[in-house]
Amino acid sequence: MQRQIQMEVAERPERGKNAARRLRASGKVPAIVYGLMDEPKSVAIDTRAITKVLSEPSGRNRVFQLTGDESGRHAMAVDYQIDPVRHTLLHVDLRRIDLDAPVRVSVPIASVGTAFGVKNEGGFEEMVNREVHVRCLPLDIPDHIDVDISALRVGEAIRAGDIPASDKYELADDEHKLLLHIMASRASTAEAAEEESEEAEAGPDV
């Protein structure tokens, strides 16, 4: 079961760019909490605390147990803005959630093992999509989903429909969505093409 993270939110009465600058200068980041049929609420969150969570690979899937102005509620960070120059957090969107209601989230894919095609056929692994969508209860969201690629040969692939089955989540993505495949290296492809060319020039055996 996923660990909940406590996050304190404080009401933010002031609006506008100047108020947001003052807030950030004080070590807080402006945010909005919305969802579950309640009115959206402008709040402030400790910048260091929320940045630490969002910098984790699965940070956007973390469940926050809110304290302070939204005490007793739970939420997830569904969006956030980063300053393109300073790379600092500018704003966060938090969506209130019901722990007993399933959510649809993107979960990172982690390949396990070394593909047969890489070991023995001179190929290489290419990741096409690093995440897959699943539906599950908020506290059952996996940090990542392991996919065993050890049996894959050159030209073979893993698609969304191939992810391991679980009683904790269900696939909420196109089952044909390509996640990764084993590609032939350029060297081996060039070598094969050269061999075919030589055979063609030699002509048929008499």
Side-chain angles (χ1 to χ4, degrees):
M1 180 174 284
Q2 187 181 130
R3 177 174 59 89
Q4 297 181 57
I5 299 174
Q6 285 197 341
M7 187 66 63
E8 183 177 359
V9 297
E11 187 174 0
R12 177 165 55 97
E14 289 187 297
R15 305 285 184 87
K17 292 184 178 180
N18 290 334
R21 289 194 194 99
R22 290 193 295 271
L23 189 66
R24 295 187 191 103
S26 71
K28 304 285 186 180
V29 63
I32 186 168
V33 183
Y34 67 92
L36 293 184
M37 307 300 288
D38 283 353
E39 289 292 323
K41 185 178 294 185
S42 296
V43 297
I45 308 174
D46 182 79
T47 303
R48 185 173 296 179
I50 188 67
T51 300
K52 181 180 178 181
V53 176
L54 294 179
S55 64
E56 298 174 356
S58 57
R60 290 183 65 171
N61 289 339
R62 290 299 182 196
V63 175
F64 297 118
Q65 184 177 23
L66 302 180
T67 62
D69 197 56
E70 285 274 308
S71 183
R73 308 299 292 268
H74 295 84
M76 295 176 66
V78 294
D79 197 13
Y80 56 92
Q81 298 172 10
I82 301 290
D83 186 295
V85 177
R86 299 180 179 179
H87 304 291
T88 54
L89 197 59
L90 295 176
H91 190 274
V92 181
D93 289 358
L94 296 175
R95 186 183 69 194
R96 301 182 187 101
I97 58 170
D98 180 349
L99 295 185
D100 295 321
V103 293
R104 183 177 182 269
V105 294
S106 291
V107 177
I109 295 297
S111 59
V112 177
T114 302
F116 179 91
V118 174
K119 275 185 178 180
N120 305 295
E121 298 177 321
F124 64 95
E125 174 190 344
E126 181 179 55
M127 186 74 76
V128 179
N129 286 291
R130 298 182 178 277
E131 297 182 325
V132 66
H133 289 98
V134 301
R135 183 176 290 104
C136 59
L137 294 177
L139 295 183
D140 286 338
I141 300 173
D143 288 338
H144 62 272
I145 296 176
D146 290 334
V147 178
D148 185 4
I149 67 168
S150 56
L152 291 186
R153 306 180 72 101
V154 167
E156 295 183 333
I158 295 290
R159 300 183 182 276
D162 298 320
I163 67 171
S166 172
D167 59 352
K168 296 294 185 181
Y169 59 78
E170 62 180 20
L171 181 66
D173 218 331
D174 178 1
E175 63 179 11
H176 301 295
K177 175 180 176 180
L178 180 62
L179 301 180
L180 63 88
H181 54 180
I182 307 303
M183 301 286 289
S185 68
R186 290 183 180 179
S188 60
T189 302
E191 185 178 336
E194 186 177 343
E195 289 178 358
E196 289 180 3
S197 177
E198 290 176 353
E199 290 175 2
E201 290 177 0
D205 293 334
V206 178

